[in-house]
Amino acid sequence: MKINKLNSIILLGLVAIISILVAQLLWTKEAFTIEQKKLSQKAHIALLEVAKKLYEGTNHELPVQNPVQKIANDYYIVNVDNEFEPDILEFYLKTEFKKMNITTDFEYAMYNCQSDEMIYGDYISLYKKKAECKKTVYFPKHKNLVYYFAVRFPNETTYLFSSMRFWFVLSTALILILLIYVYSIFTLLQHKKYSELQRDFINNMTHEFKTPLASILIASKYLIEQKPIKEDKKLYTYTDIIINQGNKLNGHIEKILNVAKADYAPLELKKENILIVPIIEEAIENIKLKYPEASIAIETVSREYLIETDTFHFANLVYNLLDNAMKYCNDKPEVTIKFIENNNCLKLEFIDNGIGINPKKISFIFDKFYRVQNEKSNEVNGFGLGLYYVKEICSLQNWKIKAENNQEKGITITLSIPYKK
């Protein structure tokens, strides 16, 4: 059901963006046509004014019929029916085009009745020197006309595109948005697929492990109670090792299952107001059963710190931080848990004397399955899930967590918890 809903949302989003893009392209095409018509109208008016100027001061009158003819999108001819000088024509063309705000290059030619051919006039550019301008070789002749000139706009398409810069920028932006959307959806679906495969694999793997492991633990606990085993010190030790290591493996499997479950559905926290110092003390007692030589101290001015959290997960969080500090220490493990009140915030600092972490890698220690490669990596068993679990519990409660190396040795992991007395 959820998959179908997600697919429907993706499809609707894709259809919406494609529809907007198609509409934008149609609007852009229509805008281009309108700009083309506007340029044609302005050129027509300007050329008509040039024809009128050429008739001024002569004995001839401007013919009733419109002298301006549009031969092609960028090519016009003007029938003057009167002699005129090239310099005067060029001056009038520049003047009238400037009045009509036609700011693109143009070139002109005139018909010479003596040679019966079109004589090229000049290429007029607003931005280039004449020496840089290329000359057009050929202007076609037109029948039944004697005194006339032709004007061509060689860069008309470029000029129109430049006047529509906003439309093209908007269309390009929409295309980029569509491509980014498609890529994001594709990446999301790939990650979703890989996540589901990973979760199914972990679930199947841990299930297959738990069944034989449960049988091993039951058999081992039964075995250690037998009189011959109790009387033989070596056999008792070996059986006890099997039980301890089996319990450790079972703990790892449970941790993997919890993380896999959290990836599929967020952990549900049963929050309540609790005194956290007694819970931390209980976690310390449990960790000392595993590391009896460890020295763990609590520095606090009060035992009455009351916060809203899930008792079970908070206890696991503290245990994981302490267990991590114990495992990555070459000397006798020493941990100080310091309480600091600061602006409606209660900070818990877990300060250890371990081997520390490479500063370049310290930002990755809360990532899932990440294990820092150091001198203790091969000695310590684990999957890189302990600190990931701690970070998840903090994130669910909007707590902040950070890790930093101590000046001498070891690291300090700080929890920042919203706190009001």
Side-chain angles (χ1 to χ4, degrees), residues 276 307 314 344-348 399-400 415-419:
I276 59 172
I307 65 171
F314 181 76
N344 295 327
C345 177
L346 178 63
K347 292 187 176 182
L348 270 64
W399 297 355
K400 293 181 180 179
L415 303 181
S416 298
I417 304 171
Y419 177 71

Side-chain angles (χ1 to χ4, degrees), residues 129-148:
K129 296 179 181 178
K130 287 192 175 183
E132 299 175 356
C133 300
K134 295 181 180 179
K135 291 190 175 183
T136 301
V137 177
Y138 175 73
F139 270 76
K141 291 191 301 179
H142 297 273
K143 296 179 181 179
N144 304 322
L145 297 177
V146 179
Y147 299 107
Y148 68 95

